[in-house]
Amino acid sequence: MTLLATTALVGGAGPAATAGQEGVPVCAQAGEPFPEPPEGTAGAIHPAPADDADIQEMAAWAIAEANRTEGRGPDTAYRLECVAAAGRQVVAGSLYHLHLRLDRPEPRRATAVVWDKPWENFRELQDFSTTDDRPADVAH
């Protein structure tokens, strides 16, 4: 599933994370990291620490936006378990490339791409997709 959603932010501070989403854990065994691009490569995706405040905010926002756009209610809403890997790409703003693990409504992996231009109060979920393929390092 792929979706595209645009949200204009009001007030310049950006959206607050959903209750309980701040301080999203970093997965114990992280996903495949984004490789460091060759030096001087403009516009490349650079690895970013999964515990970075911006990455945490974008991960929580991507899940909330996917739930809103898909019309998911309390019983079917995605819930972020942890951030497995993250990358940041400088464009007209920043593209955040996120590898996430979800623990609800059933265990899944997710990838999300969020385009953020804070000076324009603009944030867009460029891509969000999930797979039922459960990582072997997480037992349930």
Side-chain angles (χ1 to χ4, degrees), residues 68-90:
R68 184 191 69 76
T69 308
E70 294 178 17
R72 291 181 169 271
D75 295 334
T76 61
Y78 296 125
R79 187 173 72 188
L80 184 58
E81 179 180 342
C82 59
V83 177
R88 185 176 299 150
Q89 182 179 14
V90 176

Side-chain angles (χ1 to χ4, degrees), residues 22-116:
E22 293 193 24
V24 174
V26 175
C27 297
Q29 291 185 347
E32 187 66 31
F34 287 87
E36 191 66 52
E39 192 172 328
T41 305
I45 300 171
H46 291 268
D51 61 353
D52 176 84
D54 289 341
I55 298 299
Q56 297 276 308
E57 178 182 347
M58 295 304 150
W61 184 85
I63 296 301
E65 187 68 4
N67 284 332
R68 184 191 69 76
T69 308
E70 294 178 17
R72 291 181 169 271
D75 295 334
T76 61
Y78 296 125
R79 187 173 72 188
L80 184 58
E81 179 180 342
C82 59
V83 177
R88 185 176 299 150
Q89 182 179 14
V90 176
V91 292
S94 293
L95 284 176
Y96 293 88
H97 299 262
L98 308 167
H99 294 182
L100 310 170
R101 293 196 184 140
L102 310 176
D103 62 3
R104 200 178 78 194
E106 63 270 339
R108 293 180 172 204
R109 292 183 187 191
T111 58
V113 178
V114 177
W115 183 16
D116 189 46

